[in-house]
Amino acid sequence: MKTKKIFALALAMVLVTVNCVFAVNTPETCNTIATLNINKVLTPSDGVYPDVDSFEFTLTPVSYTLAEDGQIVEDANATYMPAGGTITVDNLQVVGDQKEGTAQKKLDFSGKKIGVYTYSLQEVAGDVTGVTYDDTLYYVNVYVINQVDENNTPTGATTISNITAWRGTNMSDEALKGMQQD
């Protein structure tokens, strides 16, 4: 039986551990751990799933955009950035008429400078018969900003204000657009 598979990669960038709670005029310490949630959805053909239980994705540091002067630093060696790595989505569960799975990647930005950190994210092609792997290249921006006190004065600590993701190849323009919005 020929099995045709349709896959959808949905990136849900969620700041699970970044919860800044401000009491009356007194900011609390913010966590600088960014949590990326990588979702994989597998849709069967004729109600049959292929024999595959896990999917891998590669998260690679690409660049860091300095907030002070907008300079973009290519960072393939991750000297400015938390390292990426392989993310494995496994233990897919049947939900309705498809299988779904999620994996998390935590990136620790403690002690990092303010700016936009850009990563590429792509599924690693496997060799399971009947499976079409997603070859879309995604970019993920993590925005690190100064934490401020009740007078809007930087405290010397940093926090994460946002995580964005998009399909495409022009990461520098996207990073700069994000810088201008913050």
Side-chain angles (χ1 to χ4, degrees):
M1 174 189 297
K2 182 177 179 182
T3 306
K4 182 178 180 184
K5 299 297 158 212
I6 300 172
F7 292 98
L9 171 65
L11 290 177
M13 299 303 133
V14 180
L15 294 174
V16 173
T17 59
V18 180
N19 295 317
C20 299
V21 178
F22 291 89
V24 178
N25 293 327
T26 307
E28 294 183 17
T29 302
C30 295
N31 194 338
T32 53
I33 304 287
T35 301
L36 307 180
N37 289 325
I38 311 302
N39 299 324
K40 181 67 180 179
V41 177
L42 177 63
T43 304
S45 178
D46 299 325
V48 177
Y49 294 101
D51 188 22
V52 61
D53 293 324
S54 66
F55 297 88
E56 289 188 344
F57 299 84
T58 302
L59 183 70
T60 305
V62 174
S63 69
Y64 164 65
T65 305
L66 298 167
E68 293 85 13
D69 61 10
Q71 175 186 356
I72 297 173
V73 177
E74 298 296 322
D75 198 26
N77 295 323
T79 55
Y80 287 95
M81 303 171 64
T86 301
I87 303 162
T88 302
V89 176
D90 54 11
N91 298 321
L92 279 74
Q93 302 294 317
V94 175
V95 178
D97 61 350
Q98 56 195 18
K99 280 187 171 181
E100 299 179 8
T102 301
Q104 290 187 341
K105 175 66 174 177
K106 295 187 182 292
L107 300 172
D108 187 353
F109 287 89
S110 300
K112 300 297 182 189
K113 293 183 178 183
I114 61 172
V116 179
Y117 295 80
T118 303
Y119 292 83
S120 65
L121 178 69
Q122 192 163 32
E123 184 172 14
V124 176
D127 58 2
V128 176
T129 303
V131 175
T132 303
Y133 293 86
D134 186 354
D135 63 356
T136 306
L137 179 63
Y138 293 89
Y139 285 97
V140 177
N141 280 345
V142 179
Y143 298 84
V144 178
I145 62 171
N146 282 324
Q147 183 177 345
V148 296
D149 65 14
E150 66 275 3
N151 298 316
N152 207 29
T153 303
T155 64
T158 58
T159 190
I160 297 167
S161 68
N162 199 8
I163 299 175
T164 60
W166 74 98
R167 294 177 184 178
T169 58
N170 196 349
M171 64 85 197
S172 297
D173 288 346
E174 285 297 321
L176 291 174
K177 285 180 194 172
M179 289 290 293
Q180 294 165 2
Q181 292 172 0
D182 281 342

